[in-house]
Amino acid sequence: MTSPAPTAQLLMIGPLLPALVARIEQTYRVHRFWEIDDQPAWLRANAGSIDAIATSGVFGAKAELIEALPNLKAIISFGVGYDAIAVDVAKKRGITVTNTPGVLDNC
């Protein structure tokens, strides 16, 4: 018996570790934003279907992107900081922002 296809949709801002992507794809239908040629057109057509953003400290999530996604519920950042994420915009909209503190402590 196979699992049903994920229905929640996630916009991945930039490439992440393959093992991490494989885990994410178990829960979300993943759209690879950096691979989309006409990002503004894609957003106009698909923005309402995006539930979450996956990003990192390298790629972040700019205010314009957050504002373009009317049903966004979460921004998941794989990294310690969240300086590259427009947290103030997310907070105003009640969007959860997460990061992964402590992952570099042993380095």
Side-chain angles (χ1 to χ4, degrees), residues 6-94:
T7 57
Q9 297 195 43
L10 178 137
L11 187 61
M12 188 177 300
I13 304 304
L16 300 171
L17 296 172
L20 180 57
V21 174
R23 297 270 322 262
I24 293 170
E25 288 175 332
Q26 293 174 3
T27 305
Y28 292 95
R29 179 172 172 221
V30 176
H31 303 277
R32 290 163 174 78
F33 199 53
W34 74 98
E35 293 179 350
I36 298 170
D37 290 328
D38 189 346
Q39 293 175 344
W42 188 90
L43 283 171
R44 285 191 298 277
N46 298 284
S49 65
I50 300 300
D51 300 294
I53 288 174
T55 190
S56 70
V58 174
F59 306 114
K62 294 182 180 181
E64 299 80 25
L65 179 61
I66 296 168
E67 291 167 345
L69 303 171
N71 297 312
L72 187 64
K73 298 169 190 68
I75 301 170
I76 304 115
S77 181
F78 295 93
V80 176
Y82 47 85
D83 296 344
I85 298 171
V87 176
D88 56 334
V89 175
K91 186 176 180 179
K92 286 179 190 173
R93 297 236 340 253

